[in-house]
Amino acid sequence: MSLEIRTLSEIMNPPQTADSPLSTQEYFVNMGPQHPATHGVLRLVLKMDGETIREVIPVLGYIHRSIEKMAEYLHGRQIVHLTDRMDYLSALANNWAVSRAVETAMGVQTNPRIETIRTLICELQRVQSHQLWWGVLGLDLGALTSFFYGFRDREEITDILEETTGARLTMNYIQPGGLMFDLHPNFVPRVKAFIKYFRPKLDEYETLLSENVILQERLRNVGVLSAEDAIGYGATGPVLRASGIPLDLRKQQPYGVYDQVEFSVPVGTVGDCWDRYWIRIEEMRQSLGIIEQLIDNIPDGKFMEMKPAAKLKLPAGSFYLQIETARGSLGVFLQGTGEDIPHRCHFRSPNFNNLWSVTKTAVGGKIADLVAIVSTLDLVIPDVDR
Amino acid sequence: MFNRQGIKQQQVKVGGKQLTIIQAPRPQRTSQVATVWGALCSLWNGMRVTWRYFSRPSSIVTQQYPENREHLKIPERFRAQLRLKYDENGEHNCTGCKICDVQCPNASIEVIDMRGESGKKEIDRFVWRMDICTFCNICVMVCPFDALEMSNEFESSVYDKRLLTYQLNRYAGPTKKAFEKIESSADRERLKVGRQPFEAPTPLGIAAGVASGPGVSVAPPSTMKKDDI
């Protein structure tokens, strides 16, 4: 396998060659960094031939906040609040990943109540994240209504989470050794009411978008990512499962109480935008099923197993842990030296790898296809740059 | 609702784990005419959902802020402003132990202590910089004396950045517990040295030598001169 390394200026300013007999001319278009369809400050440099895309070059770094470097000066409890700002739509799963890494390194045991609440609240946020994705997908493809419906139902979960965690987006709820607060007394009845409310709404989602033939035609056989390419690019989560590989860390490496609940893994057959779309819709149903199984069986116990201000000493050695967020597997690498701050902290973020599959899938398509592809990849740009 | 009849479920073994997979169904179109007809029908179905909501005012969820200020409900755990807890006598629990100062991830808390009349350490200034605070709630969680809380006053915008540096303690002096041992109220009032919310040493104030009260020993940045401001 050969590896070609080119800078952006080399691509955009190729050496002058003999005149082409064709009357077409390749040109470059900047999509982003300020573009509503890139969902943040992502810049895609497109090499175009007419309206056909010849090459996609993602340019990163517009929202780089050096979270990994900052983590080298903070101890385990303080790193957690930075991960809220990475993938802000699955902040709780990010918190859990760091907390689990610190707990595993230090050998801290948590009780079943903590693990159940973590599982429950992360599944709620997975539904919430997919709701936002569904609304924004409609918006990107020209259907404004779905955006409002997605946000209306997302607001219900945000209110439930706000009551328990005290924040709407940057929650910082799951801490090394436990949770920041106990569950709010209103949590269980409100979640039950939400499931009752949301199941019919999910069917409505299908009427609005899944059954819509225009949407089906815009997603079907667009942006096909084969299983080999998906593995090659390191894609995870719904993007990988859409390519037909049933890899779900909740099944393969069960954490929390995922080994005690029943759920299925939706997989695609072709790996196009339609498969990625349908998998996320089905994942919402499966997540609701997991919540229904757990909501009545929350064991009693403490919500924090450590003293709140206890010193978190990372033992010498390297620790790596993965967790399945709404977008794929988030890996946390911590290198301890026996002090409380890590020598090195690295996040293997799902969005970074998922993003690069666009360089393969969008080639040969139109710009409108690229919008559909970027939308179904469900990118959160602060997680790409960190 | 999308037709769920043709969805296949099967058991597979991946990585030594048995799991049930659901295969995504694929929409099939036979001809161009069927596609166009199907698109029109699905548009009609989608519009029916939209019109159903449009014709029902009870389904409106929009909140008219700021008109609804009186009955706006903010959850009690919502993190808006850091505050010291005060009892009915206006006394707090803070001893100036600096645990919150040490645990704060972005140094937005600065606790300055002093020697009190009894020779014990007491709080002099509790400086909280809201402009660099990320509202992670760690300070409230780690406080061993339950002296801090997050209040719900979320309307905190100001016109001057310097007004985002708060001094949280209303007085410098002993804690609630220490006051319980003092009998006369005159003695109590004498021990409370008043502190104002905005007289905390701000970054600009420190450089200018303004508002650097007793106990504050922060050197101004070497690049900044007194005439600069």
Side-chain angles (χ1 to χ4, degrees), chain A residues 77-78 81 85 149 164-166 171-172 181-182 204 206 211 213 216 221 265 267 272 274 282 285, chain B residues 1-2 4 14 20-22 24-27 29 42 52-53 77-79 103 105 134 136-137 141:
Chain A
R77 191 177 301 111
Q78 295 173 330
H81 93 290
R85 276 114 185 130
Y149 289 3
T164 289
T165 66
M171 292 159 182
N172 191 30
F181 308 104
D182 206 351
E204 215 168 60
E206 303 242 27
E211 272 190 10
V213 177
Q216 289 174 4
N221 297 335
V265 181
V267 295
D272 58 354
W274 168 259
E282 184 61 30
R285 289 185 202 280
Chain B
M1 187 187 161
F2 194 78
R4 293 176 62 84
V14 183
T20 320
I21 61 168
I22 307 176
R26 292 195 71 73
R29 301 275 156 251
S42 51
R52 200 166 68 233
Y53 281 113
R77 286 179 189 177
F78 184 73
R79 314 203 274 260
Q103 293 280 334
T134 53
C136 64
N137 208 41
M141 186 178 81

Side-chain angles (χ1 to χ4, degrees), chain A residues 141-155:
Chain A
L141 300 183
L144 188 65
T145 317
S146 69
F147 182 72
F148 293 123
Y149 289 3
F151 264 83
R152 176 197 64 194
D153 301 335
R154 183 177 183 270
E155 190 65 23

Side-chain angles (χ1 to χ4, degrees), chain A residues 101-148:
Chain A
V102 173
E103 282 163 11
T104 316
M106 293 176 56
V108 178
Q109 291 291 324
T110 52
N111 63 33
R113 179 178 175 84
I114 292 171
E115 292 300 319
T116 312
I117 293 175
R118 285 175 176 183
T119 312
L120 196 55
I121 213 154
C122 278
E123 285 307 312
L124 258 184
Q125 204 171 38
R126 190 186 306 276
V127 177
Q128 186 200 34
S129 167
H130 286 345
Q131 281 170 340
L132 186 135
W133 157 81
W134 180 84
V136 172
L137 176 105
L139 186 70
D140 285 346
L141 300 183
L144 188 65
T145 317
S146 69
F147 182 72
F148 293 123

Side-chain angles (χ1 to χ4, degrees), chain B residues 11 13 23 39 56 104 111 133 175 186 196 220:
Chain B
Q11 297 278 328
K13 210 171 179 187
Q23 268 196 351
R56 276 186 206 165
C104 180
V111 177
C133 182
T175 60
Q196 295 300 315

Side-chain angles (χ1 to χ4, degrees), chain B:
Chain B
M1 187 187 161
F2 194 78
N3 185 15
R4 293 176 62 84
Q5 301 300 319
I7 293 172
K8 279 184 236 160
Q9 286 208 11
Q10 62 188 76
Q11 297 278 328
V12 290
K13 210 171 179 187
V14 183
K17 302 268 178 185
Q18 195 77 23
L19 53 105
T20 320
I21 61 168
I22 307 176
Q23 268 196 351
R26 292 195 71 73
Q28 298 296 336
R29 301 275 156 251
T30 46
S31 67
Q32 279 282 325
V33 180
T35 308
V36 172
W37 177 245
L40 288 172
C41 288
S42 51
L43 269 183
W44 171 250
N45 283 338
M47 286 309 280
R48 274 213 331 236
V49 176
T50 312
W51 278 102
R52 200 166 68 233
Y53 281 113
F54 189 72
S55 59
R56 276 186 206 165
S58 64
S59 62
I60 293 172
V61 292
T62 314
Q63 293 186 19
Q64 299 293 338
Y65 179 82
E67 286 83 358
N68 66 347
R69 260 205 195 121
E70 275 87 46
H71 42 91
L72 192 68
K73 269 188 194 164
I74 305 288
E76 67 258 37
R77 286 179 189 177
F78 184 73
R79 314 203 274 260
Q81 295 251 348
L82 186 64
R83 290 278 176 268
L84 279 178
K85 281 185 189 169
Y86 288 96
D87 64 355
E88 62 277 6
N89 300 329
E91 290 159 7
H92 57 67
N93 265 341
C94 183
T95 59
C97 68
K98 295 194 179 180
I99 286 181
C100 48
D101 191 338
V102 172
Q103 293 280 334
C104 180
N106 34 43
S108 55
I109 292 174
E110 188 171 358
V111 177
I112 298 153
D113 57 6
M114 61 176 193
R115 290 263 168 229
E117 237 174 48
S118 58
K120 278 188 175 176
K121 265 191 182 175
E122 285 170 4
I123 179 84
D124 179 16
R125 286 163 191 276
F126 193 110
V127 184
W128 174 56
R129 290 192 59 190
M130 191 189 179
D131 48 352
I132 55 171
C133 182
T134 53
F135 304 94
C136 64
N137 208 41
I138 288 179
C139 46
V140 181
M141 186 178 81
V142 298
C143 182
F145 303 102
D146 196 21
L148 288 164
E149 65 177 352
M150 282 282 185
S151 78
N152 287 351
E153 303 136 34
F154 63 95
E155 290 168 328
S156 50
S157 51
V158 288
Y159 279 106
D160 192 333
K161 192 183 159 192
R162 283 171 292 183
L163 295 176
L164 293 173
T165 306
Y166 290 92
Q167 185 159 280
L168 297 185
N169 54 330
R170 288 184 206 151
Y171 68 89
T175 60
K176 203 190 300 182
K177 257 190 183 169
F179 273 126
E180 278 168 11
K181 292 171 192 159
I182 301 168
E183 294 287 318
S184 74
S185 61
D187 271 355
R188 287 180 168 208
E189 292 310 312
R190 188 174 51 78
L191 285 171
K192 291 182 187 174
V193 185
R195 291 277 182 261
Q196 295 300 315
F198 295 117
E199 64 168 22
T202 62
L204 286 174
I206 292 164
V210 189
S212 52
V216 183
S217 57
V218 188
S222 55
T223 49
M224 200 178 242
K225 299 211 171 59
K226 200 168 181 176
D227 306 333
D228 284 354
I229 306 159

Side-chain angles (χ1 to χ4, degrees), chain A residues 52-78:
Chain A
T52 311
I53 297 169
R54 291 274 174 252
E55 202 172 347
V56 182
I57 308 143
V59 183
L60 312 178
Y62 289 93
I63 189 161
H64 182 71
R65 291 147 304 165
S66 63
I67 286 179
E68 288 176 7
K69 188 68 187 169
M70 281 157 80
E72 290 172 18
Y73 295 90
L74 301 173
H75 56 72
R77 191 177 301 111
Q78 295 173 330

